[in-house]
């Protein structure tokens, strides 16, 4: 099926998410709470676009909007830009010094509203992506805690969590870099817990925590012990193997 | 803490009963002991973080022990206009607690709520399940006395 995005004709599968269709066709839509690796949570609303269908326009959240018919989409209309500006003004009120938000805000001309008192050290926009990532990996060490103005992301009782394996996925997916993760002398510290890091057998670089390896070993039936390679070396090894196969094939 | 187990065992080991379990635990202990949260987590096979999220979200649940008598002062629009803040100040004068706090002897907790649906008799104050309407600061003192607070005055 063909849909029109900002005047450009794009092919889309029925049920495909609008954001994916746009990105595949080189049309950029800003996102915060979206990760390609996780199911959409649709909480930040920065990815809103205008959908025109049968002469009527409405606002949809593109990251969780499945394309079902021949629609026309506007990703950057005046209406959309104004709405994003308002959203960013509110985000700025929460995280006035955050680089990601500051950059987006500048793009849309949003300014820090004067009438709110703000916490300059805050970086979390409470999108919930980190919680989703932790849950998807099976640890569920973190969650949102409290509500209203005291809402935050944390571990139970703000203590080091038994479930946390120090994989750092939460920090990795966070759009605003709000989760502190530190690495010093072979120790990774995250969510108030220290983890011993393990070196890649080949290149010798730290690549995972001990707990992470144990967790994978337990989940899967194979033993990672002899596969203790970082991603880079693993890819290299796979490449070499592939090369061998091809060379065998040639002969 | 076999008590806790007795409370939660009344429910099937399914996640959808967690809120009911938490409410029962809250009722029995006046708060949710950490041990209870951990036991429920195991019982319904749900991450502790999920339960902690719930326990900190609902106002009816508390992780800190609440007083034997929970005073709720309505601060909804009608009650606010009729000076509910004065009642809150008066309670502070008598018991030295602010909203969200509990007296040291564990007798009283103070909370504010947003409209109890009794605006006609604003300002409204509730102690456990008993309603008091058209409350004046002088009445606050009397009511607290009813529950054994401030005897020595
Ligand atoms: S820490 Fe980051 S990912 Fe988690 S809720 Fe906050 S902004 Fe979102
Ligand atoms: S990216 Fe779509 S709602 Fe956040
Ligand atoms: S505002 Fe207090 S009962 Fe309605």
């Amino acid at each position: 099926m063909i849909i029109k995005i900002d005047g450009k004709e794009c092919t889309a599968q029925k049920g495909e998410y609008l954001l994916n269709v746009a990105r595949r066709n080189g049309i950029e839509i800003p996102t915060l709470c979206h990760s390609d690796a996780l199911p959409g949570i649709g909480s930040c609303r920065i990815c809103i676009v205008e959908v025109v269908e049968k002469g009527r326009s409405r606002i949809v959240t593109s990251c969780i909007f499945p394309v079902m018919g021949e629609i026309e989409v506007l990703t950057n209309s005046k209406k959309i830009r104004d709405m994003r500006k308002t959203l960013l003004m509110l985000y700025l009120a929460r995280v006035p010094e955050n680089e990601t938000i500051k950059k987006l805000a500048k793009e849309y001309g949003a300014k820090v509203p004067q009438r709110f008192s703000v916490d300059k050290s805050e970086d979390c926009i409470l999108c919930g992506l980190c919680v989703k990532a932790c849950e998807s990996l099976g640890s569920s060490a973190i969650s949102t805690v409290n509500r209203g103005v005291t809402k935050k992301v944390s571990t139970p009782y703000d203590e080091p969590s038994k479930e946390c394996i120090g994989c750092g996925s939460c920090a990795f997916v966070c759009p605003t870099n709000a989760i502190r993760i530190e690495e010093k002398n072979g120790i990774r510290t995250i969510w108030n817990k220290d983890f011993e890091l393990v070196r890649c057998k080949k290149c010798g670089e730290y690549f995972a925590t001990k707990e992470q390896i144990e967790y994978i070993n337990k989940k899967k039936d194979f033993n990672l012990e002899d596969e203790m390679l970082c991603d880079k070396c693993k890819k290299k090894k796979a490449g070499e193997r592939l090369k061998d196969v091809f060379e065998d094939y040639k002969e | 803490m076999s008590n806790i187990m007795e409370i939660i065992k009344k429910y099937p080991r399914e996640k959808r009963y967690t809120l009911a379990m938490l409410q029962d635990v809250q009722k029995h202990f006046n708060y949710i002991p950490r041990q209870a949260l951990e036991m429920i987590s195991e019982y319904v096979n749900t991450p502790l973080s999920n339960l902690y999220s719930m326990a900190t979200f609902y106002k009816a649940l508390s992780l800190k022990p609440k007083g034997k008598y929970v005073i709720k002062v309505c601060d909804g629009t009608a009650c606010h206009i009729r000076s509910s803040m004065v009642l809150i100040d008066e309670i502070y004068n008598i018991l030295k607690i602010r909203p969200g706090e509990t007296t040291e002897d564990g007798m009283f907790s103070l909370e504010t709520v947003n409209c109890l649906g009794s605006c006609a008799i604003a300002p409204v104050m509730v102690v456990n399940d008993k309603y008091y309407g058209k409350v004046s600061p002088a009445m606050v003192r009397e009511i607290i006395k009813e529950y054994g607070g401030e005897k020595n005055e």
Side-chain angles (χ1 to χ4, degrees), chain A residues 22-74:
Chain A
R23 287 204 169 158
R24 189 156 37 75
N25 285 280
I27 294 160
E28 225 359 87
I29 296 173
T31 58
L32 287 166
C33 73
H34 173 82
S35 156
D36 285 334
L38 296 167
I41 45 181
S43 69
C44 79
R45 304 278 145 172
I46 213 74
C47 68
I48 46 169
V49 297
E50 224 179 316
V51 165
V52 190
E53 214 171 358
K54 298 191 188 102
R56 278 205 201 157
S57 134
R58 63 193 165 118
I59 309 293
V60 306
T61 312
S62 67
C63 68
I64 50 169
F65 181 82
V67 178
M68 296 313 262
E70 314 237 306
I71 47 170
E72 224 186 293
V73 184
L74 298 170

Side-chain angles (χ1 to χ4, degrees), chain B residues 73-80 113-124:
Chain B
V73 176
C74 180
D75 197 23
T77 313
C79 292
H80 187 83
V113 288
N114 302 316
C115 192
L116 292 155
S118 315
C119 310
I121 52 165
V124 186

